[in-house]
Amino acid sequence: MTGMQTSVPELVHPVPADEVDPWARAMVATFLGDPDGPGTRRRVELLTRHWDPARTWGVRDRNRWVATLRTEQRALSLPGAGAETLDLAVDAVTNVTVSATHRRRGLMSRMMEESLTEARDRGDAVSILIAAEWPIYGRFGYAPATVAANYAFRRSRRGARCAGDPGRIRQVERDEFGAAAPAVFAAARRRRAGQVDRDADWWNRVLGREGYPPSEGMPHNWLLHEGEAGPDGLLAWKATSDWGLIPPLASAEVWNLTAATDAAYQDLWAYLSGLDAIDDIRLDDRPVDEPVRWLLDDARTLVMTRHVDFLWLRLLDVPAALAARRYAVPGDLVLDVIDEDVSRFASGRYRLTAEGDEAACAPASGDADVEITQQALASIYLGGFGLSELQLSGAAQERTPGALNQLGLMFSTPHAPWNATWF
Ligand SMILES: CC(C)(COP(=O)(O)OP(=O)(O)OC[C@H]1O[C@@H](n2cnc3c(N)ncnc32)[C@H](O)[C@@H]1OP(=O)(O)O)[C@@H](O)C(=O)NCCC(=O)NCCS
């Protein structure tokens, strides 16, 4: 009797461009998609156009791809002075899969460790990802940094009214929407920390412009809000059910609601609240502190249907990362950062000083005021979580009385951070 030959899976990095098709098919299958479906062909085409072999990993076994990982450079908005934000180029990890035939043998760990080390060597201060499941990425030092909310807007209830001027909103064709979208989103993105960028190519890709094949399931309504100096708001939505003469009426979903000004935000919600024939409007991946609550006659017509950690973050270079953002109040603290995960990139003692629009962080030798894990620091970095809730787990302890309170105040932000972009 002949047994099956034992195979040794081979870690491949970089993944050559001519392997995109089988690499992507393996990735799609593990993400429960159809590797032979039209969506996969589209995906392969898009990946091929932007393939950067130096930022791709995979594992091959018996001539088949059994694991995938890719990273890209994205811009992340960070808390700035006052209500402003700053931008930081970060390492963004995506397409992480290991086939069910090869799980729990350390393949993801090998790819993650290599990719994080390369990010650190490249000089990236921060790495981000969206975690499919909570337990996967903590061991590599990632921690939740933003929360996303889904809402159901019960539009046909009496109090679901938002005042505003829908007259400033123009219905347009998808192409015109696509031409305006990059600039409007770029301005809107900078109104909150935690937002990942979308360049013009991102919009062309999802909207099927400039030779890209159109995606399936696109919205049917494309709207621009006209501000003083041109478009400053975007809204795209579609009905998801029909309606009859007897209620319930139809449902709808918002694919995109982006506002670069408060006026655009209010007018777009006024438009939504006036969509007759629709009972319920679904909005996904929105901020937890959706300000429209305070514009509605009855804020309970906006129901939060999901609340989940969304963007995960890992600090690779503490001085660079902490100096890249601004702080709500002045402070001067020495932090002992404990990092026991991959390569302990963040381990060390650092002095953080902040005053108005200035922030500095450098290795320090004096006594520490606070001892904090890298993961806790990552969770408060964008203002998404408070030290008070993390403290219970022992993730942060003060050596100087009052230092934790001070640190918590410094890292607080005017708005909850929010990321609207999957990657
Ligand atoms: C998540 C995934 C990539 C893990 O790959 P893997 O090669 O099995 O992971 P590793 O063997 O390197 O696991 C390292 C450790 O993490 C743990 N781990 C990995 N995935 C986990 C999960 N989903 N839940 C709980 N623990 C997990 C392993 O048990 C292992 O722990 P141990 O060292 O204590 O034994 C793989 O299960 C997968 O492809 N899942 C479906 C797609 C997916 O969710 N991808 C992530 C997208 S963000």
Side-chain angles (χ1 to χ4, degrees), residues 264-310:
Y265 181 81
Q266 178 153 0
D267 292 346
L268 292 173
W269 274 99
Y271 168 93
L272 284 179
S273 80
L275 282 178
D276 290 345
I278 288 174
D279 271 346
D280 272 296
I281 303 179
R282 180 184 163 151
L283 300 101
D284 287 354
D285 305 326
R286 299 290 307 171
V288 279
D289 57 346
E290 188 76 78
V292 73
R293 270 191 197 93
W294 306 99
L295 302 175
L296 293 168
D297 293 347
D298 175 356
R300 290 192 194 168
T301 57
L302 185 73
V303 181
M304 193 186 283
T305 54
R306 194 189 71 169
H307 176 279
V308 68
D309 54 280
F310 193 41

Short mmCIF file of all heavy atoms in Angstrom, two decimals, residues 264-310:
data_model
loop_
_atom_site.label_atom_id
_atom_site.label_comp_id
_atom_site.label_asym_id
_atom_site.label_seq_id
_atom_site.Cartn_x
_atom_site.Cartn_y
_atom_site.Cartn_z
N ALA A 264 -24.22 70.08 4.37
CA ALA A 264 -24.44 68.93 3.48
C ALA A 264 -25.00 67.76 4.28
O ALA A 264 -25.95 67.08 3.84
CB ALA A 264 -23.13 68.54 2.81
N TYR A 265 -24.45 67.54 5.46
CA TYR A 265 -24.91 66.43 6.31
C TYR A 265 -26.40 66.58 6.61
O TYR A 265 -27.20 65.66 6.45
CB TYR A 265 -24.08 66.41 7.60
CG TYR A 265 -24.44 65.30 8.56
CD1 TYR A 265 -23.95 64.01 8.39
CD2 TYR A 265 -25.28 65.54 9.66
CE1 TYR A 265 -24.28 62.99 9.26
CE2 TYR A 265 -25.62 64.53 10.54
CZ TYR A 265 -25.11 63.26 10.34
OH TYR A 265 -25.44 62.25 11.21
N GLN A 266 -26.78 67.77 7.03
CA GLN A 266 -28.17 68.01 7.43
C GLN A 266 -29.11 67.89 6.22
O GLN A 266 -30.17 67.27 6.31
CB GLN A 266 -28.29 69.38 8.09
CG GLN A 266 -29.72 69.71 8.47
CD GLN A 266 -29.82 70.66 9.64
OE1 GLN A 266 -28.81 71.10 10.18
NE2 GLN A 266 -31.03 70.98 10.04
N ASP A 267 -28.72 68.47 5.09
CA ASP A 267 -29.58 68.43 3.91
C ASP A 267 -29.75 67.00 3.40
O ASP A 267 -30.83 66.61 2.95
CB ASP A 267 -29.02 69.33 2.80
CG ASP A 267 -29.09 70.81 3.17
OD1 ASP A 267 -29.80 71.16 4.14
OD2 ASP A 267 -28.43 71.62 2.49
N LEU A 268 -28.67 66.21 3.44
CA LEU A 268 -28.76 64.83 2.96
C LEU A 268 -29.70 64.02 3.85
O LEU A 268 -30.49 63.20 3.38
CB LEU A 268 -27.37 64.18 2.89
CG LEU A 268 -26.45 64.77 1.80
CD1 LEU A 268 -25.04 64.19 1.91
CD2 LEU A 268 -27.02 64.50 0.39
N TRP A 269 -29.64 64.25 5.15
CA TRP A 269 -30.57 63.56 6.05
C TRP A 269 -32.00 64.07 5.86
O TRP A 269 -32.96 63.31 5.98
CB TRP A 269 -30.14 63.70 7.51
CG TRP A 269 -29.14 62.63 7.89
CD1 TRP A 269 -27.79 62.73 7.95
CD2 TRP A 269 -29.46 61.27 8.24
NE1 TRP A 269 -27.23 61.53 8.32
CE2 TRP A 269 -28.24 60.61 8.50
CE3 TRP A 269 -30.64 60.53 8.35
CZ2 TRP A 269 -28.16 59.27 8.87
CZ3 TRP A 269 -30.58 59.19 8.71
CH2 TRP A 269 -29.34 58.57 8.96
N ALA A 270 -32.15 65.36 5.55
CA ALA A 270 -33.49 65.90 5.29
C ALA A 270 -34.08 65.20 4.06
O ALA A 270 -35.25 64.82 4.03
CB ALA A 270 -33.41 67.40 5.07
N TYR A 271 -33.24 65.01 3.05
CA TYR A 271 -33.65 64.29 1.84
C TYR A 271 -34.10 62.87 2.20
O TYR A 271 -35.18 62.42 1.80
CB TYR A 271 -32.49 64.28 0.84
CG TYR A 271 -32.66 63.34 -0.32
CD1 TYR A 271 -33.20 63.77 -1.54
CD2 TYR A 271 -32.27 62.00 -0.22
CE1 TYR A 271 -33.36 62.89 -2.60
CE2 TYR A 271 -32.43 61.12 -1.28
CZ TYR A 271 -32.96 61.57 -2.46
OH TYR A 271 -33.12 60.69 -3.51
N LEU A 272 -33.29 62.18 3.00
CA LEU A 272 -33.63 60.79 3.37
C LEU A 272 -34.94 60.75 4.16
O LEU A 272 -35.78 59.88 3.95
CB LEU A 272 -32.52 60.17 4.22
CG LEU A 272 -31.24 59.71 3.50
CD1 LEU A 272 -30.26 59.13 4.52
CD2 LEU A 272 -31.55 58.67 2.43
N SER A 273 -35.09 61.71 5.06
CA SER A 273 -36.29 61.68 5.90
C SER A 273 -37.54 61.98 5.07
O SER A 273 -38.65 61.66 5.48
CB SER A 273 -36.16 62.64 7.09
OG SER A 273 -36.42 63.96 6.70
N GLY A 274 -37.35 62.53 3.88
CA GLY A 274 -38.51 62.84 3.03
C GLY A 274 -38.77 61.82 1.94
O GLY A 274 -39.53 62.08 1.02
N LEU A 275 -38.14 60.66 2.01
CA LEU A 275 -38.33 59.65 0.96
C LEU A 275 -39.65 58.91 1.16
O LEU A 275 -39.70 57.83 1.75
CB LEU A 275 -37.17 58.64 0.98
CG LEU A 275 -35.86 59.08 0.33
CD1 LEU A 275 -34.81 58.00 0.47
CD2 LEU A 275 -36.07 59.42 -1.15
N ASP A 276 -40.72 59.50 0.64
CA ASP A 276 -42.04 58.86 0.75
C ASP A 276 -41.98 57.48 0.09
O ASP A 276 -41.11 57.22 -0.73
CB ASP A 276 -43.10 59.70 0.03
CG ASP A 276 -43.35 61.01 0.79
OD1 ASP A 276 -42.93 61.08 1.96
OD2 ASP A 276 -43.94 61.93 0.20
N ALA A 277 -42.90 56.64 0.45
CA ALA A 277 -43.00 55.26 -0.07
C ALA A 277 -41.98 54.32 0.55
O ALA A 277 -41.93 53.15 0.21
CB ALA A 277 -42.88 55.21 -1.60
N ILE A 278 -41.17 54.85 1.46
CA ILE A 278 -40.17 53.99 2.10
C ILE A 278 -40.35 54.02 3.62
O ILE A 278 -40.40 55.08 4.23
CB ILE A 278 -38.75 54.43 1.68
CG1 ILE A 278 -38.55 54.01 0.22
CG2 ILE A 278 -37.70 53.79 2.58
CD1 ILE A 278 -37.31 54.46 -0.39
N ASP A 279 -40.46 52.83 4.19
CA ASP A 279 -40.62 52.71 5.65
C ASP A 279 -39.28 52.75 6.37
O ASP A 279 -39.12 53.43 7.37
CB ASP A 279 -41.26 51.35 5.98
CG ASP A 279 -42.77 51.42 6.00
OD1 ASP A 279 -43.31 52.54 6.02
OD2 ASP A 279 -43.41 50.35 5.99
N ASP A 280 -38.35 51.94 5.86
CA ASP A 280 -37.11 51.69 6.58
C ASP A 280 -35.91 51.95 5.70
O ASP A 280 -35.87 51.49 4.56
CB ASP A 280 -37.04 50.20 6.97
CG ASP A 280 -37.71 49.96 8.28
OD1 ASP A 280 -37.22 50.50 9.28
OD2 ASP A 280 -38.73 49.24 8.29
N ILE A 281 -34.92 52.62 6.24
CA ILE A 281 -33.69 52.85 5.48
C ILE A 281 -32.53 52.28 6.29
O ILE A 281 -32.36 52.59 7.48
CB ILE A 281 -33.45 54.35 5.23
CG1 ILE A 281 -34.66 54.94 4.49
CG2 ILE A 281 -32.16 54.55 4.43
CD1 ILE A 281 -34.55 56.42 4.21
N ARG A 282 -31.75 51.46 5.65
CA ARG A 282 -30.63 50.82 6.33
C ARG A 282 -29.33 51.54 5.99
O ARG A 282 -29.07 51.84 4.82
CB ARG A 282 -30.59 49.36 5.86
CG ARG A 282 -29.51 48.57 6.48
CD ARG A 282 -29.48 47.18 5.87
NE ARG A 282 -28.16 46.67 6.24
CZ ARG A 282 -27.88 45.41 6.42
NH1 ARG A 282 -28.80 44.51 6.23
NH2 ARG A 282 -26.66 45.04 6.75
N LEU A 283 -28.53 51.81 7.00
CA LEU A 283 -27.22 52.45 6.78
C LEU A 283 -26.18 51.63 7.54
O LEU A 283 -26.32 51.42 8.74
CB LEU A 283 -27.21 53.89 7.32
CG LEU A 283 -28.22 54.87 6.73
CD1 LEU A 283 -29.40 55.03 7.69
CD2 LEU A 283 -27.57 56.22 6.48
N ASP A 284 -25.15 51.18 6.84
CA ASP A 284 -24.12 50.34 7.47
C ASP A 284 -22.80 51.10 7.62
O ASP A 284 -22.53 52.04 6.87
CB ASP A 284 -23.85 49.10 6.60
CG ASP A 284 -25.00 48.10 6.69
OD1 ASP A 284 -25.92 48.32 7.49
OD2 ASP A 284 -24.96 47.11 5.93
N ASP A 285 -21.98 50.59 8.55
CA ASP A 285 -20.61 51.11 8.74
C ASP A 285 -20.60 52.62 8.94
O ASP A 285 -19.89 53.36 8.27
CB ASP A 285 -19.72 50.73 7.54
CG ASP A 285 -19.72 49.23 7.30
OD1 ASP A 285 -19.81 48.48 8.28
OD2 ASP A 285 -19.65 48.82 6.13
N ARG A 286 -21.43 53.03 9.88
CA ARG A 286 -21.55 54.44 10.21
C ARG A 286 -20.88 54.72 11.57
O ARG A 286 -20.56 53.79 12.31
CB ARG A 286 -23.03 54.83 10.30
CG ARG A 286 -23.82 54.64 9.03
CD ARG A 286 -23.46 55.61 7.94
NE ARG A 286 -23.51 57.01 8.38
CZ ARG A 286 -23.07 58.03 7.65
NH1 ARG A 286 -22.52 57.84 6.48
NH2 ARG A 286 -23.15 59.26 8.11
N PRO A 287 -20.68 55.99 11.92
CA PRO A 287 -20.10 56.30 13.24
C PRO A 287 -21.07 55.96 14.37
O PRO A 287 -22.29 56.00 14.17
CB PRO A 287 -19.87 57.81 13.18
CG PRO A 287 -20.80 58.32 12.13
CD PRO A 287 -20.98 57.20 11.14
N VAL A 288 -20.52 55.63 15.54
CA VAL A 288 -21.40 55.33 16.68
C VAL A 288 -22.11 56.59 17.18
O VAL A 288 -23.21 56.51 17.70
CB VAL A 288 -20.64 54.71 17.87
CG1 VAL A 288 -20.43 53.23 17.65
CG2 VAL A 288 -19.35 55.41 18.17
N ASP A 289 -21.46 57.73 17.02
CA ASP A 289 -22.08 58.98 17.48
C ASP A 289 -22.67 59.74 16.29
O ASP A 289 -22.31 60.88 16.02
CB ASP A 289 -21.05 59.85 18.24
CG ASP A 289 -19.82 60.16 17.41
OD1 ASP A 289 -19.63 59.51 16.35
OD2 ASP A 289 -19.03 61.04 17.80
N GLU A 290 -23.56 59.07 15.56
CA GLU A 290 -24.19 59.69 14.37
C GLU A 290 -24.93 60.96 14.80
O GLU A 290 -25.94 60.90 15.50
CB GLU A 290 -25.16 58.68 13.76
CG GLU A 290 -25.75 59.05 12.44
CD GLU A 290 -24.79 58.88 11.27
OE1 GLU A 290 -24.57 57.75 10.81
OE2 GLU A 290 -24.28 59.91 10.82
N PRO A 291 -24.47 62.13 14.36
CA PRO A 291 -25.03 63.37 14.92
C PRO A 291 -26.48 63.65 14.52
O PRO A 291 -27.12 64.50 15.14
CB PRO A 291 -24.12 64.47 14.36
CG PRO A 291 -22.98 63.79 13.70
CD PRO A 291 -23.35 62.37 13.45
N VAL A 292 -27.01 62.93 13.52
CA VAL A 292 -28.38 63.22 13.08
C VAL A 292 -29.39 63.02 14.20
O VAL A 292 -30.47 63.62 14.20
CB VAL A 292 -28.77 62.37 11.84
CG1 VAL A 292 -29.02 60.92 12.21
CG2 VAL A 292 -30.00 62.96 11.16
N ARG A 293 -29.02 62.19 15.19
CA ARG A 293 -29.90 62.02 16.37
C ARG A 293 -30.42 63.36 16.89
O ARG A 293 -31.55 63.49 17.30
CB ARG A 293 -29.07 61.44 17.50
CG ARG A 293 -29.07 59.97 17.52
CD ARG A 293 -28.47 59.50 18.83
NE ARG A 293 -28.11 58.12 18.64
CZ ARG A 293 -26.92 57.73 18.26
NH1 ARG A 293 -25.95 58.59 18.06
NH2 ARG A 293 -26.66 56.45 18.08
N TRP A 294 -29.51 64.33 16.88
CA TRP A 294 -29.84 65.63 17.49
C TRP A 294 -30.58 66.53 16.53
O TRP A 294 -30.95 67.65 16.86
CB TRP A 294 -28.56 66.28 18.03
CG TRP A 294 -27.87 65.33 18.94
CD1 TRP A 294 -26.80 64.53 18.65
CD2 TRP A 294 -28.25 65.02 20.29
NE1 TRP A 294 -26.49 63.74 19.72
CE2 TRP A 294 -27.36 64.02 20.75
CE3 TRP A 294 -29.24 65.47 21.15
CZ2 TRP A 294 -27.44 63.47 22.03
CZ3 TRP A 294 -29.33 64.93 22.42
CH2 TRP A 294 -28.43 63.94 22.84
N LEU A 295 -30.80 66.04 15.30
CA LEU A 295 -31.57 66.82 14.31
C LEU A 295 -32.97 66.26 14.12
O LEU A 295 -33.83 66.90 13.53
CB LEU A 295 -30.85 66.80 12.95
CG LEU A 295 -29.41 67.34 12.93
CD1 LEU A 295 -28.80 67.13 11.55
CD2 LEU A 295 -29.40 68.81 13.30
N LEU A 296 -33.20 65.04 14.59
CA LEU A 296 -34.49 64.39 14.37
C LEU A 296 -35.49 64.81 15.45
O LEU A 296 -35.11 65.01 16.61
CB LEU A 296 -34.32 62.86 14.43
CG LEU A 296 -33.50 62.24 13.29
CD1 LEU A 296 -33.17 60.79 13.61
CD2 LEU A 296 -34.26 62.33 11.97
N ASP A 297 -36.76 64.89 15.04
CA ASP A 297 -37.79 65.20 16.04
C ASP A 297 -37.84 64.10 17.09
O ASP A 297 -38.06 64.36 18.27
CB ASP A 297 -39.17 65.31 15.36
CG ASP A 297 -39.23 66.51 14.43
OD1 ASP A 297 -38.31 67.36 14.51
OD2 ASP A 297 -40.16 66.58 13.61
N ASP A 298 -37.64 62.84 16.65
CA ASP A 298 -37.66 61.71 17.57
C ASP A 298 -36.43 60.84 17.26
O ASP A 298 -36.42 60.09 16.27
CB ASP A 298 -38.96 60.91 17.37
CG ASP A 298 -39.00 59.64 18.21
OD1 ASP A 298 -38.00 59.32 18.90
OD2 ASP A 298 -40.03 58.94 18.17
N ALA A 299 -35.41 60.96 18.11
CA ALA A 299 -34.15 60.27 17.83
C ALA A 299 -34.29 58.76 17.89
O ALA A 299 -33.44 58.03 17.38
CB ALA A 299 -33.07 60.74 18.80
N ARG A 300 -35.34 58.25 18.49
CA ARG A 300 -35.51 56.79 18.55
C ARG A 300 -36.00 56.20 17.23
O ARG A 300 -36.17 55.00 17.10
CB ARG A 300 -36.46 56.41 19.68
CG ARG A 300 -35.82 56.66 21.02
CD ARG A 300 -36.61 56.02 22.11
NE ARG A 300 -36.19 56.55 23.39
CZ ARG A 300 -36.85 56.34 24.52
NH1 ARG A 300 -37.95 55.64 24.53
NH2 ARG A 300 -36.40 56.85 25.65
N THR A 301 -36.23 57.06 16.23
CA THR A 301 -36.55 56.52 14.91
C THR A 301 -35.27 56.06 14.21
O THR A 301 -35.32 55.42 13.17
CB THR A 301 -37.26 57.58 14.03
OG1 THR A 301 -36.41 58.73 13.94
CG2 THR A 301 -38.60 57.97 14.62
N LEU A 302 -34.13 56.40 14.81
CA LEU A 302 -32.85 55.90 14.29
C LEU A 302 -32.37 54.83 15.27
O LEU A 302 -31.94 55.12 16.38
CB LEU A 302 -31.82 57.03 14.22
CG LEU A 302 -30.49 56.62 13.59
CD1 LEU A 302 -30.63 56.45 12.08
CD2 LEU A 302 -29.40 57.65 13.87
N VAL A 303 -32.45 53.57 14.82
CA VAL A 303 -32.16 52.46 15.73
C VAL A 303 -30.81 51.85 15.38
O VAL A 303 -30.57 51.48 14.21
CB VAL A 303 -33.26 51.36 15.58
CG1 VAL A 303 -32.99 50.21 16.54
CG2 VAL A 303 -34.63 51.98 15.82
N MET A 304 -29.93 51.76 16.37
CA MET A 304 -28.64 51.12 16.10
C MET A 304 -28.85 49.60 16.10
O MET A 304 -29.32 49.04 17.07
CB MET A 304 -27.61 51.50 17.17
CG MET A 304 -26.20 51.13 16.77
SD MET A 304 -25.00 51.42 18.09
CE MET A 304 -24.82 53.18 18.02
N THR A 305 -28.57 48.97 14.95
CA THR A 305 -28.82 47.53 14.84
C THR A 305 -27.56 46.69 15.00
O THR A 305 -27.63 45.48 15.13
CB THR A 305 -29.46 47.20 13.47
OG1 THR A 305 -28.61 47.75 12.45
CG2 THR A 305 -30.85 47.81 13.35
N ARG A 306 -26.40 47.33 14.91
CA ARG A 306 -25.14 46.61 15.14
C ARG A 306 -24.11 47.60 15.64
O ARG A 306 -24.08 48.76 15.22
CB ARG A 306 -24.64 45.96 13.84
CG ARG A 306 -23.54 44.94 14.10
CD ARG A 306 -22.90 44.47 12.80
NE ARG A 306 -22.09 45.53 12.20
CZ ARG A 306 -21.25 45.34 11.19
NH1 ARG A 306 -21.13 44.15 10.64
NH2 ARG A 306 -20.55 46.35 10.70
N HIS A 307 -23.26 47.11 16.53
CA HIS A 307 -22.21 47.93 17.12
C HIS A 307 -21.02 47.00 17.22
O HIS A 307 -21.06 46.03 17.99
CB HIS A 307 -22.71 48.39 18.51
CG HIS A 307 -21.72 49.16 19.31
ND1 HIS A 307 -20.71 48.56 20.04
CD2 HIS A 307 -21.59 50.49 19.52
CE1 HIS A 307 -20.02 49.49 20.65
NE2 HIS A 307 -20.52 50.67 20.35
N VAL A 308 -19.98 47.23 16.43
CA VAL A 308 -18.90 46.24 16.41
C VAL A 308 -17.54 46.92 16.20
O VAL A 308 -17.45 47.93 15.49
CB VAL A 308 -19.18 45.17 15.31
CG1 VAL A 308 -19.08 45.75 13.92
CG2 VAL A 308 -18.24 43.97 15.44
N ASP A 309 -16.52 46.35 16.86
CA ASP A 309 -15.16 46.84 16.64
C ASP A 309 -14.85 46.70 15.15
O ASP A 309 -15.20 45.70 14.54
CB ASP A 309 -14.16 46.02 17.46
CG ASP A 309 -14.32 44.53 17.19
OD1 ASP A 309 -15.23 43.93 17.77
OD2 ASP A 309 -13.56 44.00 16.36
N PHE A 310 -14.18 47.66 14.57
CA PHE A 310 -14.02 47.62 13.11
C PHE A 310 -12.55 47.68 12.70
O PHE A 310 -11.97 46.69 12.30
CB PHE A 310 -14.85 48.75 12.49
CG PHE A 310 -15.03 48.62 11.01
CD1 PHE A 310 -15.28 47.40 10.42
CD2 PHE A 310 -14.98 49.74 10.18
CE1 PHE A 310 -15.46 47.28 9.04
CE2 PHE A 310 -15.16 49.64 8.80
CZ PHE A 310 -15.40 48.40 8.25
#
